[in-house]
């Protein structure tokens, strides 16, 4: 049948449908003539229509229930390609891991089935492609990925090297490693992560339970890049929920918790926490009994105590570390775990270098937080205590300072620059005068005003250089209020705009 | 170790070529593709969690679609042109989910066969609903070749629970046209399914 005939069949059908059976037959005969196919189609349609109990009129409910019921329980009985499941190895937040054996070769593998996760057919392809990339990771300290696929219902699973070893924390506790041996162990973990980063693969969920250590002290990292295939959580509050189901918050960087884009520095952060935990004998933050919102706030805002604070109590007996060495360990951990991505070690390689410096008793490359940073932290911590008036004064001073600097610079520069500066100044003052709309109410927070300013700035059409300067000005005020996290994206956008405008080699293109 | 390919999945069902069609991933179709995938996965996950949390409770597709919308709207509302657009996507996702499930059931010798009957007509010819869904899927593909809009109508009404008025505004036709097209499509599909299932 073709479209035309279908049109014809329908029109005869409609004409005949509401007639009496006898009239129907006559009409079909008259309209279809000798076309047997057309006659057949129309008669079958009429017959079906007359039944009045079409399948399509029944709800889909019972079908859905019958087809989708009880599907998950079937998983363990089936074969995974050439592999047969032997026994359950473990069960974690991410999924279930089975020990499996290859029927033909008798070799062992671990099969991990990602729990509650179903990929659509299109994403399955992408999952496979990604896993194939991961299969190319060939490093003695990374568990090999043999294969990855999805079950028929879209549940992803991966076949990987079966490693007989203990999770990092258990291994370290059992062995009572010296501090130097511990750092060497962490160093070899770092090397594996660095190797993956060089292949453009980020782990995103590094934690002690993903790091196995074999009896002879060899490290094996598991689960590279899997976390993003986990389903979002159902606590119903957006990104945070997603981040929580996916990640182990204790080891996750603030930007991950926020749901912001993450880079290799997220792994640096996790490595920092892993090291911190071993040195301090506990995690940097006590997240037990906290709500997701509280956890988010703690990880984003709260400064951890230096690991020596706990470590000195915990480890004095066995480690005998000099005070200077303690402070270096503090610097190492806290630099790796810095809230601000840009203040962290910029690569795992940089972290490795400082581990080496420590082991060789050389000075570290990392410096404890600068005074300027601490001062801004002080303001940040005491923000609530300061009155709105004080805040306003500070902000106005900041504007004045920024403007002065800009004007001073502008004198040396062109007329256009002056105009731009004035434009920015007007924008800022206008903002703090409450804009054109209304005077700011007494309880309006300075940050609220600033946030509004950022929005307005984004809406204004400006030449890129003005926009960049404006972003930088706003960032400067955020920084002096201790809101480094809000300053960063602005600085980044200023940087990006200038990159576009002047190219990477211009002196105008500076990060800060 | 030599990489041995193996696949544990059925091939994706072919979908009618019409409005909102998701083709194999190409750079341009990426957003649509993502949206479809997100919807598919959310529906699938919801179906499972309903099953887990409420035991034998009947899964109500309209409720599933609504809940999926609430969930996805929070994070991705802006990507959908409208609620209607979402429902359309959800209808297609639901179709695909059911067809895949039906194929699994049909191929699963151990689990197959029992208690899956739908009263089809007065003669109570038992028809397993997995075969029924697969037959509907195939017939719908055929209908899409004859008249894509009509297939879209059936898909969105049957699998997505869209109202006649919604479909009318979606297809930019009158409600009368929608009910005429629905009646004819239903008659044809019903006869086809009877022949196939």
């Amino acid at each position: 049948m073709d479209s035309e005939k279908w049109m014809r069949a329908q029109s005869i059908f409609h004409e005949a449908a509401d007639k009496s059976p006898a009239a129907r037959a006559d009409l079909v005969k008259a309209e279809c003539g000798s076309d047997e196919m057309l006659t057949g189609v129309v008669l079958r349609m009429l017959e079906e229509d007359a039944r009045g109990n079409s399948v399509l009129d029944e709800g889909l409910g019972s079908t859905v229930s019958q087809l989708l019921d009880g599907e998950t329980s079937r998983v363990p009985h089936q074969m995974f390609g050439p592999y047969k499941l032997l026994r359950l190895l473990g069960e974690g937040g991410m999924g279930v891991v089975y020990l499996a054996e290859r029927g033909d070769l008798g070799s062992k593998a671990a099969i991990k089935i990602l729990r509650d996760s179903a990929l659509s057919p299109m994403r399955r392809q992408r999952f496979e492609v990604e896993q194939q990339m991961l299969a190319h990771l060939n490093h003695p300290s990374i568990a090999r990925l043999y294969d990855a696929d999805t079950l028929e219902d879209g549940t992803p699973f991966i076949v990987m090297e079966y490693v007989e070893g203990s999770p990092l924390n258990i291994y370290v506790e059992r062995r009572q490693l010296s501090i130097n041996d511990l750092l060497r162990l962490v160093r070899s973990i770092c090397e594996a992560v660095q190797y993956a980063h060089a292949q453009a693969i980020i782990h995103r969920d590094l934690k002690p339970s993903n790091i196995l250590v074999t009896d002879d002290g060899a490290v094996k990292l598991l689960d590279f890049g899997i976390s993003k295939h986990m389903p979002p959580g159902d606590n119903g509050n957006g990104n945070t929920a997603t981040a929580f189901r996916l990640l182990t918050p204790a080891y996750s960087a603030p930007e991950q918790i926020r749901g912001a884009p993450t880079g290799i520095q997220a792994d640096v952060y996790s490595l920092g926490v892993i090291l911190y935990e071993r040195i301090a004998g506990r995690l940097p933050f006590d997240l037990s009994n906290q709500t997701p919102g509280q956890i988010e706030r703690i990880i984003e805002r709260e400064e951890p105590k230096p690991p020596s604070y706990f470590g000195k109590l915990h480890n004095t007996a066995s480690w005998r570390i000099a005070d200077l060495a303690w402070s270096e360990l503090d610097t190492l951990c806290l630099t790796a775990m810095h809230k601000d991505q840009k203040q962290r070690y910029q690569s795992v390689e940089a972290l490795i270098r400082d581990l080496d410096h420590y082991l060789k008793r050389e000075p570290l490359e990392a410096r404890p937080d600068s005074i300027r940073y601490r001062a801004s932290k002080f303001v940040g911590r005491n923000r609530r205590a300061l009155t709105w008036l004080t805040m306003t004064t500070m902000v106005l001073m900041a504007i004045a300072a920024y403007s002065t600097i800009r004007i001073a610079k502008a004198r040396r520069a062109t007329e256009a620059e002056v105009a731009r500066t004035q434009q920015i100044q007007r924008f800022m003052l206008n903002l703090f005068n409450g804009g054109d709309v209304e005077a700011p109410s007494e309880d309006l927070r300075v940050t609220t005003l600033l946030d509004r300013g950022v929005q307005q700035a984004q809406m204004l059409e400006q030449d890129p250089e003005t926009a960049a300067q404006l972003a930088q000005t706003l960032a400067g005020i955020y920084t002096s209020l201790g809101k480094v996290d809000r300053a960063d994206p602005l600085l980044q956008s200023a940087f990006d705009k200038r990159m576009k405008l002047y190219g990477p080699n211009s002196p105008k293109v500076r990060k800060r | 170790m030599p990489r041995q390919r193996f696949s544990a999945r059925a091939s994706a069902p072919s979908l009618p070529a019409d409005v909102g069609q998701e083709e194999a991933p190409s750079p341009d179709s990426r957003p649509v593709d993502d949206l479809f995938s997100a919807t598919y996965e959310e529906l699938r996950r919801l179906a499972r969690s309903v099953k887990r949390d409420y035991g034998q409770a009947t899964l109500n597709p309209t409720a599933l679609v609504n809940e999926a919308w609430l969930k996805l709207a929070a994070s991705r509302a802006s990507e959908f042109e409208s609620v209607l657009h979402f429902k359309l996507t959800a209808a297609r996702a639901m179709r695909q989910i059911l067809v895949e499930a039906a194929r699994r059931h049909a191929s699963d010798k151990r689990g197959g066969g029992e208690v899956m009957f739908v009263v089809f007509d007065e003669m109570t010819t038992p028809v397993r609903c997995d075969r029924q869904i697969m037959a509907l899927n195939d017939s719908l593909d055929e209908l899409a070749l004859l008249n894509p809009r009509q297939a879209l109508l059936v898909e969105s009404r049957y699998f997505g629970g869209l109202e006649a008025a919604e479909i009318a505004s979606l297809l930019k036709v009158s409600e009368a046209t929608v009910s005429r097209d629905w009646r004819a499509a239903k008659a044809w599909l019903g006869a086809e399914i009877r022949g196939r299932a």
Side-chain angles (χ1 to χ4, degrees):
Chain A
M1 193 160 65
D2 56 21
S3 301
E4 216 171 300
K5 195 164 274 186
W6 171 233
M7 290 274 286
R8 181 94 186 98
Q10 285 185 88
S11 93
I12 303 170
F13 165 80
H14 285 305
E15 213 178 316
D18 293 325
K19 294 205 160 32
S20 71
R24 243 185 258 163
D26 290 346
L27 194 132
V28 171
K29 198 175 279 175
E31 292 288 333
C32 298
S34 60
D35 190 335
E36 279 176 29
M37 188 204 178
L38 188 60
T39 313
V41 168
V42 174
L43 285 178
R44 278 199 300 279
M45 282 172 71
L46 287 169
E47 189 191 343
E48 177 68 25
D49 185 68
R51 287 175 205 269
N53 64 347
S54 170
V55 157
L56 290 164
D57 282 332
E58 283 169 27
L60 198 52
S62 70
T63 310
V64 172
S65 315
Q66 286 174 33
L67 288 178
L68 297 184
D69 259 8
E71 291 223 301
T72 37
S73 57
R74 302 187 305 159
V75 166
H77 306 295
Q78 74 186 87
M79 291 284 289
F80 288 75
Y83 292 96
K84 191 176 76 188
L85 301 186
L86 296 181
R87 66 184 165 86
L88 189 72
L89 282 176
E91 205 169 341
M94 277 234 259
V96 198
V97 188
Y98 295 94
L99 176 63
E101 190 180 45
R102 249 188 99 120
D104 45 354
L105 303 173
S107 57
K108 297 237 170 27
I111 292 188
K112 180 171 226 159
I113 301 163
L114 299 191
R115 186 204 302 280
D116 269 7
S117 185
L119 297 173
S120 81
M122 276 166 277
R123 272 219 255 255
R124 284 172 217 175
Q125 278 179 359
R126 230 176 294 156
F127 172 74
E128 228 175 277
V129 169
E130 266 175 34
Q131 299 300 316
Q132 273 165 22
M133 249 174 63
L134 294 175
H136 289 132
L137 282 182
N138 187 2
H139 189 276
S141 298
I142 297 176
R144 278 307 295 265
L145 182 99
Y146 296 141
D147 206 344
D149 210 330
T150 50
L151 298 176
E152 285 174 19
D153 64 354
T155 306
F157 70 89
I158 52 180
V159 184
M160 58 192 177
E161 180 183 358
Y162 171 56
V163 181
E164 275 180 89
S166 336
L168 178 72
N169 281 351
I170 293 174
Y171 178 88
V172 172
E173 274 156 29
R174 216 182 276 150
R175 297 287 169 121
Q176 301 259 309
L177 297 181
S178 72
I179 177 70
N180 284 7
D181 284 344
L182 172 69
L183 292 184
R184 277 188 276 269
L185 190 66
V186 170
R187 190 190 188 285
S188 57
I189 296 168
C190 291
E191 275 182 350
V193 177
Q194 170 63 23
Y195 165 83
H197 286 180
Q199 326 286 314
I201 291 168
I202 304 172
H203 191 294
R204 291 198 171 89
D205 192 22
L206 282 168
K207 55 187 172 187
S209 60
N210 273 339
I211 302 167
L212 296 184
V213 190
T214 62
D215 279 349
D216 50 2
V219 168
K220 289 276 188 189
L221 266 59
L222 310 175
D223 291 350
F224 262 92
I226 294 177
S227 61
K228 67 173 155 179
H229 293 289
M230 293 304 294
D234 23 16
N235 6 2
N237 50 354
N239 287 335
T240 312
T242 310
F244 272 91
R245 261 296 280 283
L246 300 187
L247 304 161
T248 319
Y251 301 93
S252 303
E255 66 268 20
Q256 283 178 289
I257 298 285
R258 267 201 307 276
T262 53
I264 55 172
Q265 283 92 24
D267 281 353
V268 172
Y269 182 95
S270 304
L271 288 167
V273 179
I274 289 167
L275 181 60
Y276 183 108
E277 186 182 14
R278 291 331 317 158
I279 291 174
R282 51 158 282 169
L283 283 163
F285 307 109
D286 181 7
L287 299 178
S288 53
N289 308 320
Q290 305 282 0
T291 64
Q294 286 168 322
I295 292 177
E296 187 181 357
R297 202 189 54 74
I298 290 172
I299 291 178
E300 279 197 57
R301 305 255 172 97
E302 211 168 283
E303 286 300 323
K305 288 203 165 63
S308 62
Y309 178 88
F310 303 110
K312 279 179 180 168
L313 304 170
H314 176 252
N315 280 311
T316 0
S318 59
W319 276 3
R320 281 199 214 94
I321 302 174
D323 276 355
L324 179 67
W326 271 122
S327 77
E328 299 220 294
L329 289 174
D330 288 346
T331 305
L332 241 164
C333 288
L334 296 181
T335 307
M337 289 170 55
H338 209 290
K339 305 272 182 228
D340 180 353
Q341 290 186 60
K342 297 201 181 73
Q343 308 274 347
R344 262 176 235 157
Y345 288 112
Q346 283 306 291
S347 66
V348 177
E349 208 174 359
L351 172 58
I352 293 175
R353 278 204 304 276
D354 261 1
L355 285 169
D356 286 344
H357 288 316
Y358 181 93
L359 288 167
K360 291 183 196 152
R361 296 164 183 266
E362 295 165 357
L364 302 186
E365 287 172 27
R367 291 274 154 266
D369 269 350
S370 68
I371 290 171
R372 179 176 153 273
Y373 184 80
R374 287 198 183 185
S376 73
K377 278 288 157 197
F378 171 83
V379 176
R381 275 198 298 276
N382 295 281
R383 191 164 44 86
R384 289 218 180 103
L386 299 172
T387 65
W388 194 82
L389 190 66
T390 326
M391 295 292 285
T392 313
T393 315
M394 272 185 47
V395 170
L396 290 174
M397 280 168 64
I399 295 169
Y402 265 81
S403 308
T404 312
I405 294 166
R406 302 234 164 274
I407 289 167
K409 277 185 188 164
R411 278 205 191 103
R412 277 175 271 123
T414 60
E415 294 266 330
E417 182 75 19
V418 176
R420 251 184 229 132
T421 307
Q422 285 169 347
Q423 204 184 334
I424 290 170
Q425 204 176 358
R426 268 201 308 277
F427 177 87
M428 296 307 295
L429 288 171
N430 194 34
L431 178 63
F432 283 94
N433 288 334
D436 310 321
V437 198
E438 55 191 355
S441 67
E442 200 60 23
D443 60 354
L444 201 54
R445 285 173 170 241
V446 176
T447 46
T448 316
L449 282 173
L450 276 175
D451 291 347
R452 190 191 284 176
V454 172
Q455 277 179 357
Q456 287 178 8
Q458 279 162 352
M459 288 185 317
L460 287 176
E461 290 224 358
Q462 296 145 335
D463 71 293
E465 174 55 23
T466 308
Q469 284 191 18
L470 193 50
Q472 203 169 347
T473 306
L474 287 163
I477 299 171
Y478 271 131
T479 308
S480 53
L481 292 175
K483 300 223 149 230
V484 184
D485 55 327
R486 301 213 188 175
D488 273 335
L490 288 167
L491 287 172
Q492 187 64 46
S493 99
F495 176 73
D496 292 344
K497 286 197 175 84
R498 293 204 171 110
M499 275 288 272
K500 220 186 245 171
L501 208 54
Y502 306 113
N505 297 322
S506 161
K508 293 197 178 182
V509 179
R510 287 159 305 161
K511 274 243 154 168
R512 303 240 154 195
Chain B
M1 168 172 170
R3 224 182 114 74
Q4 179 167 346
R5 294 298 319 141
F6 58 85
S7 173
R9 62 160 183 269
S11 62
S14 55
L15 298 168
D18 53 37
V19 198
Q21 169 71 39
E22 297 84 11
E23 290 295 343
S26 75
D28 290 334
S29 70
R30 208 64 181 281
V32 184
D33 171 356
D34 269 351
L35 225 44
F36 176 81
S37 295
T39 310
Y40 174 102
E41 285 154 21
E42 188 56 33
L43 283 173
R44 196 77 190 73
R45 204 187 60 72
L46 280 171
R48 269 191 201 170
S49 64
V50 168
K51 167 78 176 83
R52 195 174 46 222
D53 297 346
Y54 302 102
Q56 292 304 318
T58 300
L59 293 156
N60 172 350
T62 311
L64 281 184
V65 169
N66 283 337
E67 205 179 322
W69 168 246
L70 290 179
K71 197 61 176 295
L72 290 168
S75 53
R76 329 189 44 149
S78 59
E79 296 169 59
F80 290 104
E81 287 155 28
S82 61
V83 182
L84 228 49
H85 174 218
F86 165 77
K87 284 191 178 176
L88 206 61
T89 313
R92 177 146 308 164
M94 183 68 86
R95 175 177 170 190
Q96 193 156 345
I97 288 169
L98 289 179
V99 168
E100 291 182 334
R103 291 200 174 132
R104 284 196 296 282
H105 271 261
S107 67
D108 185 1
K109 296 281 184 291
R110 273 160 312 162
E114 73 278 21
V115 235
M116 290 191 296
F117 299 108
V118 167
V119 176
F120 210 69
D121 59 17
E122 63 277 15
M123 304 296 288
T124 60
T125 315
V127 172
R128 282 171 52 182
C129 67
D130 52 0
R131 299 184 57 178
Q132 193 173 295
I133 284 288
M134 287 190 286
L136 173 60
N137 185 54
D138 293 343
S139 313
L140 211 46
D141 279 350
E142 223 168 280
L143 181 60
L145 296 176
L146 299 175
N147 186 341
R149 292 161 74 90
Q150 218 165 359
L152 189 64
L153 182 159
V154 175
E155 185 179 73
S156 51
R157 179 153 176 172
Y158 187 68
F159 290 101
L162 267 76
E163 302 292 335
E166 291 175 311
I167 298 170
S169 85
L170 200 70
L171 299 179
K172 303 193 173 57
V173 295
S174 70
E175 276 190 55
T177 306
V178 169
S179 43
R180 259 171 82 85
D181 280 358
W182 169 246
R183 187 174 178 186
K186 211 168 61 173
W188 185 77
L189 287 168
E192 284 292 308
I193 293 168
R194 199 176 298 277
R196 291 170 195 245

